[in-house]
Amino acid sequence: QVQLVESGGGLVQAGESLRLSCAASGTILRIYTMGWYRQAPGKQRELVAQVTSGTTTNYADSVKGRFTISRDNAKNTVYLQMNSLKPEDTAVYFCQAKIWDRTAGIGDYWGQGTQVTVSS
């Protein structure tokens, strides 16, 4: 019943910026943490940034100072502003959220992923 839909990926040059968005929809009673993960070819999925329902944030060391996560609770949406992008940021980015669904209870939900490619 719950869906996460990402948007905003694309191809950019090193040093440029992108903004990812992820909107949650469905029979949602409450959204707890929301976050972004990424997975590069041949590598494990890793946490990029996370924001709690109280807006406490957590970032991977590799993106601190360059990426900013934020959320709009009225829109059930989480954003990832990515500045000063580097080729090593190239990956599929996934949105994740812990959601209390009216019928399924509390669980972790994932988006379908959006490709971010940074050329040098």
Side-chain angles (χ1 to χ4, degrees), residues 7-22:
S7 60
L11 171 63
V12 297
Q13 293 188 332
E16 295 185 338
S17 299
L18 278 175
R19 189 190 193 210
L20 305 183
S21 300
C22 171

Side-chain angles (χ1 to χ4, degrees), residues 79-96:
Y79 306 96
L80 185 68
Q81 178 67 43
M82 304 185 293
N83 298 330
S84 302
L85 282 161
K86 304 175 180 179
E88 50 263 43
D89 294 318
T90 296
V92 178
Y93 284 69
F94 296 90
C95 172
Q96 180 270 341

Side-chain angles (χ1 to χ4, degrees), residues 18-68:
L18 278 175
R19 189 190 193 210
L20 305 183
S21 300
C22 171
S25 63
T27 52
I28 297 170
L29 293 178
R30 184 174 178 179
I31 301 178
Y32 299 94
T33 57
M34 302 186 83
W36 291 94
Y37 289 72
R38 66 187 181 187
Q39 188 166 19
K43 294 187 177 181
Q44 290 188 330
R45 190 173 296 189
E46 63 175 358
L47 174 67
V48 176
Q50 198 171 51
V51 57
T52 69
S53 56
T55 69
T56 299
T57 57
N58 179 41
Y59 294 93
D61 288 341
S62 59
V63 306
K64 283 181 181 177
R66 300 188 298 121
F67 291 10
T68 302

